[in-house]
Every structure is written in structure tokens, then in C-alpha cells.
């Protein structure tokens, strides 16, 4: 194709991916932590959306500045819950055990569900399935986790690729669990990656101008 990759903290991301239609890289960032004044980067993140979906579903925020959007959790709730196709691509920078990542995901999703009184037996079972998918894996540097969120039916396909192995996939079909997985990455001030939220706010405010 010859398409130039977009570098996100030295990690290459395709500017567009094709699912049922082309989706564009509209947000990017990292997860990181500061230890003794040193920044340790864990993952690089790319958020892919259809720009026309953004204009249709988020029209109420037309004309808002990127600063307005970055601080508006209602906007990011609308993005996460909007009936539009989304792909979140996560690339490992610092290798960790899949079990560690799975526990972070489990805690974030469970706490959000419990706060909204939506954590029932069905959600617990589905979340255990997701944690089990990551449990035995080792996240080498440059391993890729992909979340492909369907626009309407509350389904997410998770993919995991690592060097020398075939991609493994898991379908998550509990809409409450899927919704909170989206919010883990896309929920404004409560999102796991503030830099991704700022980047999305910049891109989406331009689209909504």
C-alpha cells in the first residue's frame, strides 16, 4: 500500500484500518507511570473511528474547543455509548504478564459495573472469560491487543497477536461488560490514558467544527 505509518511514542500505527468500512486513527496516546521521576511507558494506544459517524453521533458538541471536550465526561460517555464502529489498538511497550493486564481490566470493568448496579452473575461470568483469555499469555514488547466494537449489538471481538504466533480471538457478547471495556479507554477523566483523551479531544473538535 505504501501508506506511511503514524508513530505513537516510537510505535508504528497504520493511519487507517479496514473493518466493515475504513476507520481512521483519530486518537493516540500511552499508558504510563512515573517512578522516581522516570516515566515508564506500558502501552501505546490508537483509537480508530469513522469521521462521518463522529459528525452524526456527536453533533451536540459541534463548535466546542478541544479543551472543552477534554474536560467533558458527558462527551466521552456519548462517544463510548454511541452506536458506531470503533477499534482500539493497544501495542505493548514494556512487557508484562497477560494476567497482570487481565486483572487491571477486570478491576476497572467490575468497579464501573458495580457503581451502576449492573454487576450480576452474567457479567461476572463474561468478565471471567475475558480475564481467562489473557491469563496464560505473555505480553512481549510489540504484542498487539485489538478491541473491535460493533456499532449496535453490544459485541466486542478481542484479538491478541504476538511474535511468532497466530492471532488469537475472543468474542465478548455481554453488552454491559463490552460497554465498560470501552469506557476503560474512552471515559474522559476516568480513562486509563489521559494522553489518549487529549488527543481524541483535539481530533474530534476539529471534525465537529
Amino acid at each position: 500500500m505504501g501508506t506511511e505509518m503514524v508513530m505513537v511514542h516510537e510505535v508504528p500505527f497504520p493511519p487507517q484500518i479496514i473493518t466493515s468500512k475504513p476507520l481512521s486513527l483519530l486518537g493516540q496516546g500511552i499508558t504510563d507511570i512515573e517512578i522516581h521521576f522516570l516515566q515508564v511507558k506500558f502501552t501505546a494506544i490508537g483509537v480508530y473511528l469513522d469521521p462521518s459517524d463522529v459528525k452524526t453521533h456527536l453533533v451536540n458538541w459541534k463548535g466546542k474547543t478541544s479543551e472543552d471536550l477534554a474536560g467533558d465526561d458527558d462527551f466521552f460517555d456519548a462517544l463510548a455509548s454511541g452506536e458506531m464502529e470503533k477499534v482500539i489498538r493497544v501495542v505493548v511497550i514494556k512487557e508484562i504478564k497477560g494476567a497482570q493486564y487481565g486483572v487491571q481490566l477486570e478491576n476497572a470493568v467490575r468497579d464501573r459495573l458495580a457503581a451502576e448496579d449492573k454487576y450480576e452473575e452474567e457479567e461476572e461470568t463474561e468478565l471471567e472469560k475475558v480475564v481467562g483469555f489473557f491469563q496464560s499469555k505473555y505480553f512481549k514488547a510489540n504484542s498487539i491487543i485489538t478491541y473491535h466494537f460493533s456499532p449496535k449489538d453490544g459485541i466486542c471481538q478481542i484479538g491478541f497477536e504476538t511474535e511468532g504466533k497466530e492471532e488469537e480471538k475472543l468474542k465478548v457478547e455481554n453488552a454491559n461488560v463490552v460497554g465498560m471495556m470501552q469506557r476503560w479507554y474512552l471515559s474522559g477523566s476516568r480513562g486509563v490514558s489521559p494522553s489518549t483523551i487529549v488527543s481524541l479531544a483535539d481530533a474530534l473538535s476539529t471534525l465537529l467544527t
Side-chain angles (χ1 to χ4, degrees), residues 87-183:
V87 170
I88 299 174
R89 180 182 171 97
V90 181
V91 182
V92 176
I93 296 174
K94 181 172 176 56
E95 48 189 62
I96 60 165
K97 291 176 180 170
Q100 290 173 272
Y101 179 86
V103 166
Q104 291 170 13
L105 172 65
E106 179 183 31
N107 289 341
V109 170
R110 186 182 57 220
D111 290 352
R112 283 171 164 81
L113 287 169
E116 294 188 14
D117 209 18
K118 291 179 178 173
Y119 190 62
E120 305 291 341
E121 195 174 324
E122 294 88 347
E123 284 73 28
E124 183 179 6
T125 301
E126 194 77 350
L127 195 49
E128 282 173 0
K129 191 171 86 174
V130 176
V131 174
F133 176 72
F134 290 120
Q135 186 78 35
S136 60
K137 296 175 175 45
Y138 190 74
F139 287 18
K140 295 182 195 170
N142 300 315
S143 299
I144 301 168
I145 307 123
T146 308
Y147 296 91
H148 179 199
F149 297 100
S150 299
K152 288 187 178 171
D153 49 15
I155 291 175
C156 174
Q157 178 109 339
I158 302 175
F160 178 76
E161 298 174 64
T162 193
E163 184 186 2
K165 291 191 178 178
E166 294 264 319
E167 183 181 16
E168 295 179 60
K169 293 184 176 178
L170 174 74
K171 188 182 276 191
V172 186
E173 299 181 89
N174 180 292
N176 288 331
V177 170
V178 169
M180 293 309 176
M181 281 164 45
Q182 289 197 53
R183 282 181 166 80

Side-chain angles (χ1 to χ4, degrees), residues 55 64-66 69 200-209:
K55 292 175 184 176
K64 297 284 187 184
T65 67
S66 56
L69 296 184
L200 272 170
D202 282 347
L204 300 187
S205 71
T206 302
L207 273 178
L208 293 166
T209 299

